[in-house]
Amino acid sequence: MKLALISLGCSKNLVDSEHYLGILSKRKGMELTSEISEADIVIVNTCGFIGDAKEESIETILEISEFKETGNLKKLVVAGCLAQKYSEEILKELPEVDAVIGTGDIDKIEKVVDEILENKKVVETRSMTFLANANTDRLLTTASHTAYLKISEGCNKACTYCIIPQMRGKLRSRTIEDIVKEAKKLVDSGVREINLLAQETTEYGIDLYGDKKLASLMKELCKIEGLKWLRTYYMHPEYVTDELIEVMKSEEKICKYFDVPIQHVSDNILRNMARAKSGKQVKDVLTRIRKAIPEATIRTTLIVGFPGETEENFQELMDYVKEFKFDYVGVFKYSREEDTVAYNLPNQIPEEVKEKRYSELVNLQSEIAERKNKRLLGQEIEVMIDGISSESEYLLEGRTRGQALEIDGKVLTTDGTAKPGEIVKVKFEQNFEYDFVGPIVENEK
């Protein structure tokens, strides 16, 4: 029996997809295929974070369901965040769906498959307690030299715009020992770069140890022989401590890459988001990072059009972006999500105003990035090669320590050869906003 899986949304969702693939291929002996038309069973692992993601998930489900008529498809399973939140609606409105499985029931996928093959309609969304461990079957879908590693599940924060705790449950941290065990298994299989994931990585360990343990975890992971690069994502500004900054500064294997989603800098907006006490608190954290590690890459995400955002608030945000000069910024228009506190806040912003502010901020950041990246031209910089470029079969592509997998641009090489996972030096001769081009000038020794 052939299985295909479509993973939508974030990299955390991708790790869940890798567990589905691992469990069904290793325990059930299912044959995996990338050709949807050949699959007997398809799992669509959905995202439901914001409106656009919901729409993409539903469109994908409808598109795949057509293969019941035109292909070999016998059973369609909907998994992930959308499934967790809207299981009843999915089965009611989309009769083509055979099963719905939530974010906390990944370990029940074998049972779900058995039941749908008996022509039962299945709903498994009751639990939000599942937490994968080093022994949970997993099949990597990334290149063999890089992998994501989820260190916790769920979230204890209560940001007023966010529905994730309702979809993923409360914070559940894995032990340091278990994470290190999985990391060693990954490195033994050829992984050289590990990317730590959680809803908020800086929350890690509070539930288990009574204290924040990300810095301790990273120090332990750095001891693994064969691991070359260690990167972490989603750091809440409130929890970026001096200890964490110092560990990231002193450990050679840790990429000096800070992914700190601040969302805004205006006091009233941050308070209404339940995101930070003040703009000063947010700015102080970023200033401490930059002062301690001037060469650090700093990425953030920002939300425009949050309820009550005035022109003055937006201009304050623009001014700070212009002043601080982030390396990367993900800009989002506020999405009004049911069952969140922000849904009922007064002074909702019209869509056309959100769109205008979004465009202005994106354009400003593009100009900043272009100027910053031009300063790197002529330098020889370490790059981890990911493989043959999607731009041309005659080019290799890779990333610097300051470019995270799939989201921050890439480096294209015009001369020289290297294997995927090899760390080389590339002379940057051209740049195109977030991408760089140049020859390999030194291979890994």
Coordinates of all heavy atoms in Angstrom, one line a residue, residues 13 37 93 143 183 207 285 384 441:
N13 N 5.6 21.6 12.2 CA 4.6 20.7 11.5 C 5.3 19.7 10.7 O 4.9 18.5 10.6 CB 3.6 21.5 10.7 CG 2.2 21.0 10.8 OD1 1.8 20.6 11.8 ND2 1.5 21.1 9.7
S37 N -1.0 10.8 -7.4 CA -1.9 10.0 -8.2 C -1.7 8.5 -8.0 O -2.6 7.7 -8.3 CB -1.7 10.3 -9.7 OG -0.4 10.1 -10.1
E93 N -18.4 19.1 6.6 CA -18.3 19.9 5.3 C -17.6 19.2 4.2 O -17.7 19.5 3.0 CB -17.8 21.3 5.6 CG -18.5 22.1 6.6 CD -19.9 22.4 6.2 OE1 -20.2 22.5 5.0 OE2 -20.8 22.6 7.1
A143 N 17.4 17.6 3.6 CA 18.6 17.0 3.1 C 19.3 16.3 4.2 O 19.2 16.6 5.4 CB 19.5 18.1 2.5
A183 N 19.7 13.8 19.1 CA 20.7 14.6 18.4 C 21.9 13.7 18.0 O 22.4 13.8 16.8 CB 21.2 15.8 19.2
D207 N 8.6 23.9 32.6 CA 7.6 22.9 33.2 C 8.3 21.7 33.8 O 7.8 21.1 34.8 CB 6.7 22.4 32.1 CG 7.5 21.8 30.9 OD1 8.5 22.3 30.5 OD2 7.0 20.7 30.4
V285 N 16.5 44.2 25.1 CA 17.0 42.8 24.8 C 17.8 42.8 23.5 O 18.9 42.2 23.4 CB 15.8 41.8 24.6 CG1 16.2 40.5 24.0 CG2 15.1 41.6 26.0
M384 N 27.6 26.4 4.3 CA 27.3 24.9 4.2 C 26.6 24.6 2.9 O 25.5 25.2 2.7 CB 26.5 24.5 5.4 CG 26.2 23.0 5.4 SD 25.4 22.4 6.9 CE 26.7 22.4 8.2
V441 N 36.3 29.4 -2.7 CA 37.7 29.7 -2.7 C 38.5 28.8 -1.8 O 39.7 28.7 -1.8 CB 37.9 31.2 -2.3 CG1 37.4 32.1 -3.4 CG2 37.3 31.5 -1.0

